[in-house]
Structures are given as structure tokens and as C-alpha cells.
Amino acid sequence: MNRVTLFLLSLPLAGCQGWQSTLDAHGPAARTLADMFWIFTAVLATVWVLTMGALLLALRKRRVAGADPLATNPATERRMTIVISTAIGLTFVTVLALTGISYGGQRALYSHKDGALTLLVTGRQWWWQITYEDPQTNRIFTTANEIHIPVGEPVLIKLESADVIHSFWIPNLTGKMDAITGRQNQVQIQADRPGVYRGQCAEFCGLQHAHMGMLVIAEPKEDFERWRNNQISAAKPPADPERQRGMEIFLSKPCVMCHQIRGTDAGGKIAPDLTHVGSRRYIAAGTLETTRGNIAAWIVDPHGIKPGVTMPTIQLEPDEVQPLASYLEGLK
Amino acid sequence: MRNLLTASIAVLILTACEREDREYRANPVTAETEEKIALSPLSGGPSPPVERRSGIGQGYEENAFHVAQGKKLYVWFNCNGCHANGGGGSGPPLMDDRWTYGGQIENIVQTIREGRPNGMPSFRGKIPDDQIWQIAAYVRSMGRNVRKDVAPGRNDDMHPAPAEQRRPPGEVIDGGQISPSAQMPQ
Amino acid sequence: MTQTLAPHDVALDAVPEPTRLLTGQPAGMPGVQSEADAPPDPRELRDDQVDGQELTARLARTWGTRKGIIGALSTVDHKIIGRRYIITAFIFLFLGGLSAVAMRMQLARPESGLIGPDLYNQLFTMHGTTMMFLFGVPIGEAFAVFLLPLMLGTRNIAFARLNAYSYYVYLFGGAMIWFAFMLNIGPDVGWFAYVPLSGPEFSPGKRVDFWAQMITFTEVAGIAVAVQIVVTVFKMRAPGMTLDRIPLFVWAELVNAFIIIFALPAVVTASVMLIMDRLVGTHFFNPAEGGDALLYQHLFWFFGHPEVYIIFIPATGWVSAIVVTFSRRQAFGYIPLVLSMIATGFLSFGLWVHHMFTTGLPQLGASFFTASSMLIAIPNGIQIFCWIATLWDGRPVFRTPLLFVMGFFFIFVAGGLSGIMLASVPIDAQVHDTMFVVAHFHYVLIGGNVFPLLGAVYYWFPKFTGRMMSERLGKWHFWLAFIGFNITFFPMHITGLMGMPRRVYTYLPEMGWGNLNLISTLGATMLFASFVVFLVNVVVSARRGALAGPNPWDAGTLEWATSSPPLPQNFDRIPVVTNREPLWAHRNTLPVVAGLSVENREVIISTATAGRADLKESSPEPSIWPFLAAIATTVTFIGSIFTPWAIVWGGLPTTITLLGWFWPKGVKEDEA
């Protein structure tokens, strides 16, 4: 019994933690939103309790039986009119106050500060393409499904779509914004603390809408710069023979039609850039942790994991899988 | 009468299933099919030329999802680099009725897989077999050699020509010459 | 007009001495002559010349439906068509419910392999489409078709053949989309079908075309019935039913009909543009050629938000009727209740952008829609407060219908309040398109429509069938539904806040949403079980329930003045209304008017505001042509999925059937 109570009590609190929770705020925008949510909840719950109380009282009231349903007592009518008018007045004031709070929150949420970093995020069926913009063109690079940001700095995200409408949403940091075909939207994210925050496409976008996740990794400035410089650089040729063989397999197989690995001949641009795929925590848009086994599983049977995904099933000899996975895992 | 009704309903149902299926997980045994298609009815000896068709082409041609996938891949794999939107460029046009190397889906698959003289590269090992079939099915739809309710509609792009489904149904005339415009500069 | 009334017995076999309102002496406003005042044709038998059993039998013959399949398909009796409408809408409710249960099974565990993404997407699309278009809109109209003529004291609905036609079109459209689903042509792009996902490039095949044509079917049917409702309410009320004596349920249906007439054309526009983009290569939604994907969303939600009120406003009618009857007190605040319904109707057109807060619209514009969305809390508040006041001052009788209305208060108020959160642009940015929204609108729609609807079925079942539903099963049904509903949908608030988006066919185990989803699934099973109890109750009660009699609940409105189920003519003599609750004002006797033909289908047309008898008009005879016209329309619509030429070729049979429908027959009234 106790355990059941404990479990039930833990349910409402469960929303307060977790890496994709709106109420576990890790940025100024998300905090404003969470605060607003609790204010609204408190006010509206009070209204609900009062209304239900009134209903309950109305039902429990003692009364004379058998009176004429058309007979009304003018005094009662007047009293009820006054009570209802007051209630309506209070509703109006409440609604006005909430509108005001909402407007304040809206101003806070959408007033973009100047930030050092601008990202172009393109929603694609069913992954996120991320381009770090830079005035120096040789410092522009593209990655997928994993955004690194420096802690405490506002980062502007420009949103576009390459196919259908997607929605960019990192609940721990801020509310969502749609990536709409033929348009560009903007949203700003900022993290207060280092951490890993998960996000997910929030606008239905087809077969694999459910598996279109991404990570935002907030880290101290110097870690971020180190990461960025590494991302800018091309992939280093592998040293050990197994991975060298993996690279040969990669370059001789259909992989190159779609994927790019900077520093090699693979230059496809229609699938995630794999130059540093081994440094990313997840593959397949936030679906599988980056391990050698998962990479092998993904290559051998992507449709078993994400049915309908664009990645085709690649015909490999049994002894080709390990080297290939090993090579990709090593692309740090 | 009743038989006719039952038969027509059955046909309706079957065509619907064929057209609408999203068979995204290709047969795990995607060994290449070896198709053998004659380009002309002439052959040495008394018997007609020997043909071998696996018949899987029909499954691609009559499925709207496969044709639509093929349309995507056609652009992604840069087929339009040479063939444009079917009108041809440095490669021959694909929306007319002349097929230098045969216009059956099996011919087109072979063309993509093996390559042809005068510039068509071989994509064997570069494009998985099921995707080759999808592209070939789409190429067939460019001259409206597939059913109208299977051919793709317009894209969300600039439009040089009516969408495949709005073109008049095409013929296939095998053989013939490469049009001068499509000849590689010698 | 009520000055010459003499009291008469309600009972059908009584021998009332009719009030001759239609026999020559001016009964309306002085100085205004109307046809109703003209002397009757002496050759025709009138209802003041016969009485009792003979009158009942003759009228039943005049207004009856012929036997046999042709007769059944030709009928224009609003009660028969209304009953078919209600049953069909309930069948779709059950189908939609089954698809929901299938989805809940899939979501019970993370990474469950029960249903793949392709089928899951079709399931949630069918669920939303069915509930919104094939259940939500029609159910309100279905009740109107059955009840309005009875409540207004007339013999049939206006444009009775159109009524038959609209039912068949609705039936064929709904059947088409479900057959398509079974043939794997089920739409898979959501009930909203946003472009470009639903456009030609990303949705190959015919799935979306079937969806778009289903919209056309249901819109044709929906608008036709809405027009009938408006005309019936304005022109066919019983003499003496001034605007402020119209029952609240009828007001609700009237406001609802106006919303339908103004909202549905927007979605027809959207779906026709979509199908044209898909089939004939127009570029309405192609940004590359100057189209706009957001245009679709505007059009869709300009319909889509009023749609919520199309679903909710009939329910305010059901709630009003049930609250008044079971409080044993006339409605407190009749005028405010009516005005708030009308205000809701107007405001519902100013809210649509709150479905698009995350599309990056200009912020000032968005905040305007926050204000207008929150404003709708005020008319809704007025309604809730007035109902509570009625209960407060009344003497509530706890029967199953009132129980469901209590469930409505509990659930709908919660849903309405969470709606205020969604009206706020910033909060919406977090919870938009999450399970929180799913929870919210199920609280609003199931709380605001289905619970009152179930109450309404328990309430009017005796009128529909002549038998009472079981109270014991009714209580089981209520508690199972109430508890099951809350177990299903309350946890979704939390899963949504924990970041679970809508329309996902599965989720990763490490997201921590598994237990809450499992609870929701268990609740859904319970909710479904409650509907099984309901089904059993309906079937058993329809055969073996206690006989009801004309007025089992001691209610006050006119539909209870006639037998249960009503005879084809509804009333032997048309009642005269002197009060909002005629049966409470005239406990034992009900004033009636006479002078209508017994041999022809004649109804009283009254003036729009004062409800003064104005004209005697003939009501259409049964005809097979509406059914044939519906078939021709269906063939045209389905054909146009495959070729635009179907519109041209299908125009021919449609025209022929319409010609047959309207072929002048020399109605006897015209000869006079």
C-alpha cells in the first residue's frame, strides 16, 4: 500500500527531472516558461477547485420538495445574479492578469540577445543537419543531430526545412519553433549549466517522426572551442589495419553516394556528415548510442531499427561489417 | 454478373494493395537479379531470343511509394546532372519513347547497374539493388510508362514540365540511335 | 395569439376541441394578413373535422413511410433519418475508439513492435479524422435532426429530402474512408494533413486523396443539415414560440448550425486546394512557385478551431436540457445562456492562430490571439455558473443523465482551464504538439461532448425507442467511463510535460515515459469496457427495457408531449406555446391549434421572431431520388480521386438525379 502511495506521489514529481522535461529548466527561457507554467497551474487549479466546490454545495443543499419548477423566488434570483456577476467579474480579472503574465513571458522568450554563435539547423526526414556559421568561411562546418554550445552564452538558431515541416524543441532550454518549408524561423537557446539536453522533432513529419531526436551539449567555453576546432578539421586517416580496411570498404560501397567524410573521397551531401561521427554520442538521430555494435547493427539492418528510414540496407560480406563499424567508431 | 462484380472488386483491392504498400525493408537477400531481355525479336536460329525476367520489376512499377522514392533518388544521385528532368542533356532524354538500350524496367536496371558506352557510368556496388529498381521504376514513369495512379505528382520545386502523372501515356520503342544532342563530344 | 386558447388534454386519444387559429379570424398582429388566416379549402379534410383515433390513424398514414427497401430508402421522416444518423455516428465513434485502443496498446511499452510506423500513422489519422469529421460534427446534427421538429412542435424538418440526401452522402463518405483504410489506402498524414507532408511529393499514392474527398463528403452533408436546422428553427416553430421561448437545446443547435455554415467552407477550400495540388499540379502550397505551406494551416485552423465549438456547442444544449429537467427548475439565466452561446459562436472564429503559435508568426499578432483565446473563458464561465445556479436553486433528481452531466462538469472545466495555458504563447511553445495537448483536448472533447452525449442518450432513449435504459447498468457505465477516462488522460499531462511529443509510434526506454504510458493504456481499456457496458445497455434496453410513456422524466419541453416513440406525424395537433417549458406550464392539458390538412403533408410556417403562424406549406413527400442523387455524388467524388474528368462525367448522372428529385409534380396545394 505504502509503495503504491509512494509511486503515485512520485508521478507528478517525475516531470521535474529528466533530460527532456519542460519543467527541469536549465536555461533562462525554460525557467521563465516553467515559472509561468506553475503560476498558471496554481491559479487555474484554484479556479477548478472553487467551481467544483460550488457545484458540490449546489448538490448538497437542502430544499423544499415538490415545488413548481416554474416558480422562482425574486430574492433568490437577485442573489444568484449578484453572485454570478461577481464570479464573471473575477473570471475577467483572472483572465486579464494571466494574459498580462503571458505577454510578459512572451517578451522574455522572444527578445533575442546578441550572441557569438549562429547555427543553421535544417530539419530533414528524419534527422537534423547542423551548420555552424562563421564569418571565416573555412571555419564553417556541418554536423548532425548533436549541437554543442558554450555554457552561459545565447546561441541563435536559424531553422529551415529541406522537405516537410519539422519542429525544433529542446524542452530543458526553451520552447519549440517550427522549421517550415520555404521559410526561415529563429529561436535562441542558452544553457546555464553544463549538461546534455535531449530534444526531439515535435511536428509530425512522416514515418520516423518518433525517431528524430537530437542532443544539445552545453560545456565550458574552452571545451567547446576544443570541440569546435576538432570538428572543423578533416578526418584523420586511420592508423591500425582493421580501420584502414574499414575505410576502404566505406569508400567502395554505396556509403559514399550519400555520406561525406571530409579528408576522404566520400562527398555525399544528402545524409549526415560522418567526418566525426565517432565523437557523437548517438547515431540515427538520437536513437542508438554510438558503439561499434550499434553502428554495425545500423548498417546491416537500418529498417529493423527505424522502419522506412532513407538509409538503405547495405549488402556486406560478414567479414566487412566489423572493420567498417570500427572505422566509423574511430572517427572522433 | 455477380462474378464480374466480385472480380472487379478483387482487382480493385489488389491494385490498391500493390499501389499503396510501403515496402521499405527490401528483401534481406538482395542478391542481384540476372535479367535477360531481348532488344529485338530477331535472333540467330529458329527459336526466338531467350529471355529471363525475375518479375520483380512489376512490384516496383506498380507501387507509388517505390516510384516516389525513385524520384527522390534520381535527384539525390544526380541523374539530372546529365539527363536533366527527363529531357536529356549530355545524356539521352528519358521522357520520350526512344530507348537506345531498351525501355523495359529490366533494361533500365541493367543500364544503371552496368553503365553504357558514351558516358553512362556503372553504379554496381554504389547503389543498392532495390534502389536501382526504384530509380528505374521512376524513369519509366517519366515517359508515363507506368499507371497514372502510380506516377508521381508535382514536386515542391520550380516546374519545367507537367508532373509525371499528368503526361500522356507513352510508348516504348526499343533500339534506335542516340540523339545527336545526347552524343558525347568526340 | 394565445388569447383564444382553450386547455386541452395532451393524451393522444383525448378529444380536444381545437383552437381555430387557422380558420379565418386574424390571429397574428393586427393589420397583417397571412395565408394562415385564409379560409380553408372546403374540399380537403382538415384536422378540426376529425378527432381521436381516426385523426391519429389518418395523419400516420399521410406522414408514414412505406414498407420495403424502396420505402426505407425513400423516407424523409426526420425521426427515421435522425435515428440512422445517430446510429451511424455511434458506429464511427466505436471504430475511432477501437483505433485508439490499438494505439494505446502500441504505446504501452517503449520500443514496442506491435504496430509499425506505417500502420500507426494510419491509425491515428483515422482516429482523428473519424472522431472529428465522422462523429463530432454529425452527432450534434444527428440529434438536431431527430429532436428539433419535436421540440419546436412541427411535423418534419425543413428540406426533408435534402436531409435524406445529406445522410446518405455522409454515410457513403464515412464508409469510403474506412474501406480505403482496410485496403491499405488509409490516410497517414494526421487528421490535419499539413502540407508539404500531405502534398504530392511526400505522400505518394492515393491515401491523402481519399482523405481530402472524405472531407468533401462530410462537408456537403454537414452544411446541408446546418441549413435545414437554421430554416427549421427560424420558420417552423409552433405558434407562440417566440425567440425567448425556444428551448436552450434548440438555441445551441442553431448557433452550431451557423458555425458550421461559416467554418466548413474554409476546410473544403483547403482540401480542394490540396487535392488539386496533388492531382492536377496546381501550386497553392508550393513555396518554390510562390505558394505557401502556411496558407494551408491558416485555412485548416480557420475551420479547425470553430470545429471544436461545433463539437462542444450541441453539448451545451444537451447539458442545458438535462440540467433543467433534473433540477426540476427552469433554467436560471436563460438570456445570458443564449447570449453566451452566441458569443462563443462569434469568438470561435477569432482563435485559430493559437494552433499556430510555434510557426514563427509575428509576435504582436500572436499575442492578440492569446487575448482572444482567453476571452472565450468568459462566455463558457457564464454557462457553467448558470447551470450550477440552476442546480443550486432546483431540486436535483439523481438519474444517470444527470450523473453524466456531473462528469461533464468535472472533466470539461479541467480541460477548459488547461486550455487557458495553451492560449498563452510562451506556455504553448513548450506544450504544443505534446501529450499535454492530447490530454487537454480529450478533457475538452470527451468531457465536453461525449459525457453530455451519453447523458443525452440516457435522457432521450425513451423518446427514441419508447423504452427506458437500465439505471443500474447506466451507473456502471458512468463510473467505469469516468474513472477510466481520468486514468487514461490525466497521466498524459505529465508525459507531455516530460517531453513526449504527439503522434510518435514509439519512444526510447531511457526517456522514462513507460510507466505513465502503461497507466494510460490500462485506463483506455477501462474506458473501452465502459462503452461495451453501454452497448449492452442499449441493445438490452431497446428490447426489454421498461416502457417509458410520453414523459418519463417529467420534463418540460415539447418533445415529451407526444408518444414514445413518436408517430410519423409527431403531433396530432400542433401545440401552441405559451411558455419556455410548455409541459410544466400546462401540466395536464396543452393548447393546440387546428386547421391543417389531414390528407396532405402540411406544416405551419411561422414568423422568424414572434413565432406567429404565417403560412401553411407542404412538406416533401418521400422520394427515392435523394438516395440516387447521393449515389451519383459518391461516384463523382470517388471518381475524381483518380481523374479530374470524373467531375465532368459524374455531372451527368448527378444532374439526372437532381432533375428527378425536383421534377414538378403538381402538388395539390398548388391547385387550390
Side-chain angles (χ1 to χ4, degrees):
Chain A
M1 186 60 216
N2 244 339
R3 199 173 296 168
V4 174
T5 327
L6 212 63
F7 175 66
L8 289 177
L9 278 178
S10 73
L11 285 181
L13 297 174
C16 301
Q17 52 222 283
W19 65 340
Q20 195 170 310
S21 169
T22 57
L23 300 179
D24 183 20
H26 285 262
R31 203 165 325 101
T32 313
L33 293 174
D35 291 347
M36 280 186 62
F37 172 80
W38 286 118
I39 294 172
F40 271 62
T41 306
V43 173
L44 298 172
T46 314
V47 173
W48 186 80
V49 168
L50 289 177
T51 315
M52 289 303 113
L55 178 65
L56 220 65
L57 285 179
L59 295 180
R60 290 184 58 104
K61 190 176 158 242
R62 289 165 178 278
R63 42 208 118 204
V64 210
D68 178 9
L70 293 175
T72 49
N73 179 350
T76 320
E77 293 278 301
R78 203 173 323 118
R79 221 172 40 241
M80 290 200 300
T81 311
I82 293 169
V83 171
I84 288 185
S85 309
T86 318
I88 293 298
L90 286 175
T91 311
F92 186 70
V93 172
T94 313
V95 159
L96 210 63
L98 291 178
T99 310
I101 296 173
S102 164
Y103 190 61
Q106 196 183 349
R107 296 279 300 244
L109 185 62
Y110 294 106
S111 60
H112 293 167
K113 283 169 272 174
D114 285 338
L117 205 56
T118 304
L119 272 59
L120 175 68
V121 173
T122 310
R124 286 169 176 272
Q125 280 182 329
W126 293 282
W127 59 285
W128 302 93
Q129 186 174 43
I130 295 144
T131 304
Y132 278 72
E133 297 193 339
D134 202 292
Q136 267 176 276
T137 44
N138 62 348
R139 287 177 58 81
I140 298 175
F141 67 91
T142 298
T143 175
N145 304 326
E146 191 173 299
I147 297 173
H148 285 240
I149 58 171
V151 167
E153 281 185 34
V155 176
L156 185 70
I157 293 184
K158 297 197 273 186
L159 286 168
E160 286 180 0
S161 165
D163 34 55
V164 302
I165 300 176
H166 303 276
S167 193
F168 177 88
W169 184 36
I170 314 290
N172 297 105
L173 300 181
T174 190
K176 56 185 75 63
M177 181 59 80
D178 292 354
I180 295 174
T181 322
R183 285 169 182 262
Q184 193 185 68
N185 279 333
Q186 295 191 338
V187 64
Q188 199 162 43
I189 55 172
Q190 182 179 342
D192 292 334
R193 280 162 271 183
V196 180
Y197 310 113
R198 193 174 188 275
Q200 193 167 349
C201 175
E203 178 65 70
F204 178 62
C205 59
L207 280 172
Q208 281 303 324
H209 168 58
H211 289 125
M212 188 168 161
M214 86 195 100
L215 290 186
V216 172
I217 296 167
E219 50 200 4
K221 183 87 178 159
E222 51 276 20
D223 287 356
F224 170 74
E225 285 303 335
R226 200 175 314 123
W227 173 84
R228 171 147 78 164
N229 288 329
N230 180 51
Q231 295 286 315
I232 290 168
S233 67
K236 290 171 202 72
D240 65 296
E242 190 192 30
R243 286 183 173 161
Q244 274 170 354
R245 173 137 189 273
M247 183 168 107
E248 282 161 24
I249 295 165
F250 186 92
L251 294 176
S252 64
K253 289 287 170 185
C255 318
V256 292
M257 294 295 285
C258 304
H259 291 285
Q260 181 174 38
I261 296 180
R262 278 173 280 132
T264 71
D265 289 341
K269 298 238 172 166
I270 52 180
D273 182 302
L274 299 180
T275 313
H276 299 285
V277 65
S279 75
R280 304 207 279 260
R281 299 186 184 210
Y282 276 78
I283 58 169
T287 307
L288 295 172
E289 273 187 80
T290 313
T291 63
R292 188 182 302 200
N294 281 342
I295 292 175
W298 176 243
I299 294 170
V300 170
D301 187 16
H303 292 279
I305 295 157
K306 281 174 76 168
V309 72
T310 314
M311 171 102 171
T313 310
I314 307 293
Q315 206 60 42
L316 290 174
E317 298 303 316
D319 64 334
E320 293 175 329
V321 179
Q322 270 307 314
L324 183 56
S326 169
Y327 165 64
L328 290 171
E329 187 212 9
L331 292 170
K332 296 285 185 192
Chain B
M1 183 62 204
R2 181 168 295 169
N3 281 342
L4 194 72
L5 196 72
T6 324
S8 57
I9 289 173
V11 166
L12 194 77
I13 291 174
L14 286 175
T15 55
C17 294
E18 195 70 60
R19 183 184 68 229
E20 298 295 337
D21 212 21
R22 264 82 169 140
E23 201 191 290
Y24 28 74
R25 194 180 200 172
N27 187 349
V29 192
T30 47
E32 278 179 25
T33 50
E34 281 306 328
E35 317 279 343
K36 231 184 196 173
I37 312 296
L39 292 182
S40 89
L42 300 174
S43 70
S47 54
V50 182
E51 292 203 332
R52 197 158 68 229
R53 293 168 195 255
S54 63
I56 69 167
Q58 206 182 5
Y60 284 89
E61 264 184 3
E62 291 180 358
N63 181 294
F65 175 72
H66 282 314
V67 177
Q69 289 296 106
K71 186 169 181 174
K72 254 183 225 175
L73 298 171
Y74 181 85
V75 179
W76 282 355
F77 295 158
N78 201 26
C79 307
N80 51 351
C82 301
H83 300 282
N85 295 295
S90 58
L94 303 175
M95 62 201 290
D96 62 359
D97 49 4
R98 299 271 158 188
W99 290 92
T100 317
Y101 299 104
Q104 303 304 316
I105 188 165
E106 292 85 357
N107 301 121
I108 301 170
V109 166
Q110 225 163 29
T111 304
I112 298 172
R113 197 192 282 144
E114 314 296 349
R116 299 288 183 194
N118 279 336
M120 177 74 189
S122 158
F123 287 92
R124 163 173 270 135
K126 291 291 176 207
I127 302 181
D129 215 47
D130 53 321
Q131 292 192 335
I132 293 184
W133 282 99
Q134 290 176 336
I135 297 170
Y138 170 63
V139 168
R140 292 263 298 159
S141 82
M142 291 178 126
R144 252 302 298 291
N145 296 316
V146 303
R147 285 202 339 247
K148 185 184 171 72
D149 58 346
V150 170
R154 68 149 177 79
N155 263 23
D156 287 331
D157 284 323
M158 302 281 279
H159 268 254
E164 289 79 2
Q165 58 171 194
R166 297 186 53 232
R167 294 174 194 162
E171 280 179 85
V172 171
I173 298 170
D174 286 334
Q177 287 180 335
I178 303 175
S179 66
S181 70
Q183 295 268 12
M184 285 286 281
Q186 300 296 318
Chain C
M1 116 175 11
T2 54
Q3 72 275 27
T4 55
L5 296 178
H8 295 298
D9 209 286
V10 185
L12 289 160
D13 52 359
V15 187
E17 184 189 320
T19 307
R20 302 191 172 221
L21 271 189
L22 306 172
T23 51
Q25 77 232 51
M29 282 182 288
V32 181
Q33 285 295 322
S34 72
E35 191 195 301
D37 305 328
D41 177 5
R43 282 171 298 175
E44 204 171 19
L45 187 62
R46 308 225 148 239
D47 63 356
D48 47 357
Q49 294 160 349
V50 279
D51 243 329
Q53 303 278 17
E54 192 194 345
L55 176 63
T56 309
R58 276 173 177 269
L59 278 171
R61 199 158 53 237
T62 305
W63 288 86
T65 295
R66 262 176 298 144
K67 289 204 166 28
I69 188 141
I70 301 288
L73 294 175
S74 313
T75 185
V76 292
D77 187 335
H78 73 99
K79 295 177 290 299
I80 297 176
I81 294 176
R83 197 169 59 210
R84 289 179 192 166
Y85 239 118
I86 293 171
I87 291 171
T88 312
F90 264 98
I91 290 173
F92 285 124
L93 174 71
F94 272 88
L95 287 173
L98 280 173
S99 54
V101 171
M103 287 190 287
R104 282 308 332 162
M105 291 300 161
Q106 160 70 11
L107 289 181
R109 299 311 304 154
E111 291 287 334
S112 165
L114 199 61
I115 296 173
D118 187 29
L119 181 58
Y120 187 87
N121 293 350
Q122 290 186 52
L123 278 173
F124 77 69
T125 305
M126 290 304 292
H127 174 73
T129 303
T130 304
M131 291 307 196
M132 297 308 254
F133 292 107
L134 302 179
F135 166 73
V137 180
I139 193 67
E141 295 190 327
F143 268 74
V145 166
F146 193 102
L147 289 171
L148 245 47
L150 290 166
M151 287 182 137
L152 295 172
T154 185
R155 289 191 168 146
N156 205 349
I157 199 162
F159 311 134
R161 287 186 183 177
L162 184 64
N163 192 28
Y165 172 78
S166 79
Y167 169 71
Y168 294 122
V169 169
Y170 156 64
L171 175 70
F172 295 152
M176 174 196 76
I177 196 79
W178 274 93
F179 275 119
F181 171 69
M182 284 162 199
L183 296 180
N184 195 17
I185 326 175
D188 55 353
V189 288
W191 82 281
F192 47 93
Y194 275 2
V195 290
L197 182 62
S198 65
E201 182 172 353
F202 297 99
S203 284
K206 293 288 169 199
R207 292 177 171 188
V208 178
D209 302 307
F210 272 90
W211 179 84
Q213 276 314 53
M214 182 281 307
I215 301 283
T216 319
F217 275 102
T218 53
E219 306 311 84
V220 167
I223 292 177
V225 178
V227 169
Q228 291 156 219
I229 291 174
V230 170
V231 175
T232 309
V233 173
F234 277 142
K235 295 303 291 178
M236 295 179 70
R237 305 199 301 273
M241 191 182 275
T242 51
L243 282 185
D244 65 345
R245 287 179 192 153
I246 297 179
L248 283 165
F249 171 78
V250 177
W251 268 114
E253 291 289 356
L254 178 68
V255 172
N256 190 43
F258 273 110
I259 303 181
I260 289 174
I261 290 171
F262 287 106
L264 263 53
V267 74
V268 179
T269 311
S271 66
V272 167
M273 283 161 124
L274 173 63
I275 205 167
M276 281 168 72
D277 266 18
R278 293 178 55 85
L279 293 182
V280 294
T282 53
H283 294 275
F284 292 112
F285 306 125
N286 176 4
E289 293 273 24
D292 190 351
L294 270 191
L295 170 65
Y296 180 87
Q297 297 191 19
H298 280 292
L299 283 171
F300 186 82
W301 290 115
F302 188 79
F303 145 81
H305 199 80
E307 161 81 356
V308 176
Y309 293 93
I310 291 171
I311 291 173
F312 171 62
I313 285 190
T316 64
W318 298 324
V319 171
S320 299
I322 293 171
V323 163
V324 168
T325 298
F326 291 90
S327 298
R328 295 282 179 269
R329 186 203 189 281
Q330 61 168 320
F332 173 79
Y334 174 87
I335 302 281
L337 275 170
V338 170
L339 290 179
S340 60
M341 283 176 193
I342 297 174
T344 310
F346 275 103
L347 278 175
S348 68
F349 286 92
L351 315 178
W352 82 94
V353 169
H354 73 222
H355 296 267
M356 299 169 62
F357 279 161
T358 61
T359 55
L361 294 170
Q363 290 306 319
L364 189 66
S367 55
F368 166 79
F369 283 92
T370 297
S372 65
S373 305
M374 289 198 182
L375 209 58
I376 208 150
I378 292 180
N380 280 334
I382 293 176
Q383 289 174 332
I384 302 276
F385 297 150
C386 284
W387 289 323
I388 293 181
T390 309
L391 285 164
W392 170 279
D393 195 40
R395 285 156 294 278
V397 183
F398 272 96
R399 304 296 290 275
T400 312
L402 190 62
L403 214 52
F404 274 98
V405 168
M406 294 302 119
F408 151 80
F409 278 114
F410 187 93
I411 295 168
F412 174 75
V413 173
L417 292 170
S418 65
I420 291 192
M421 294 189 181
L422 297 171
S424 158
V425 175
I427 297 184
D428 186 65
Q430 279 288 29
V431 292
H432 178 76
D433 267 340
T434 64
M435 293 305 266
F436 186 91
V437 174
V438 176
H440 155 73
F441 71 72
H442 282 93
Y443 266 74
V444 171
L445 295 177
I446 294 188
N449 178 287
V450 177
F451 271 78
L453 167 69
L454 295 171
V457 170
Y458 280 89
Y459 180 55
W460 276 298
F461 191 80
K463 189 51 64 184
F464 297 155
T465 63
R467 290 175 187 273
M468 306 294 287
M469 286 180 78
S470 154
E471 280 285 317
R472 202 163 56 89
L473 280 179
K475 296 223 156 55
W476 270 98
H477 174 204
F478 171 76
W479 286 109
L480 275 174
F482 182 76
I483 297 170
F485 170 84
N486 282 295
I487 295 179
T488 312
F489 292 103
F490 188 79
M492 288 189 192
H493 289 108
I494 304 165
T495 32
L497 291 168
M498 286 170 76
M500 182 171 175
R502 293 168 80 172
R503 301 168 186 138
V504 290
Y505 78 99
T506 191
Y507 50 93
L508 301 180
E510 55 260 46
M511 301 310 299
W513 304 327
N515 288 336
L516 287 167
N517 273 298
L518 186 60
I519 294 173
S520 286
T521 302
L522 293 175
T525 332
M526 198 166 163
L527 189 56
F528 189 75
S530 81
F531 275 89
V532 174
V533 173
F534 172 65
L535 197 64
V536 169
N537 198 353
V538 166
V539 172
V540 172
S541 303
R543 287 158 183 270
R544 292 207 298 267
L547 286 175
N551 191 1
W553 308 114
D554 189 21
T557 39
L558 277 182
E559 78 272 28
W560 303 105
T562 179
S563 59
S564 307
L567 292 168
Q569 69 269 35
N570 289 355
F571 304 92
D572 281 357
R573 291 205 174 91
I574 301 301
V576 172
V577 177
T578 60
N579 191 289
R580 208 172 283 154
E581 307 286 348
L583 301 195
W584 284 350
H586 304 274
R587 278 272 162 195
N588 301 312
T589 53
L590 191 68
V592 290
V593 292
L596 288 175
S597 169
V598 177
E599 292 160 352
N600 290 316
R601 296 183 168 228
E602 223 170 56
V603 290
I604 299 179
I605 303 293
S606 46
T607 56
T609 50
R612 194 175 52 82
D614 192 19
L615 299 168
K616 287 178 284 183
E617 182 60 69
S618 58
S619 180
E621 300 281 332
S623 163
I624 191 72
W625 287 110
F627 176 71
L628 299 177
I631 288 184
T633 316
T634 304
V635 170
T636 310
F637 283 169
I638 295 182
S640 69
I641 292 174
F642 295 94
T643 165
W645 285 101
I647 303 284
V648 179
W649 300 125
L652 197 66
T654 311
T655 313
I656 292 171
T657 50
L658 289 182
L659 280 176
W661 179 344
F662 291 110
W663 199 257
K665 293 213 181 60
V667 180
K668 290 183 191 107
E669 178 219 45
D670 299 335
E671 294 163 1

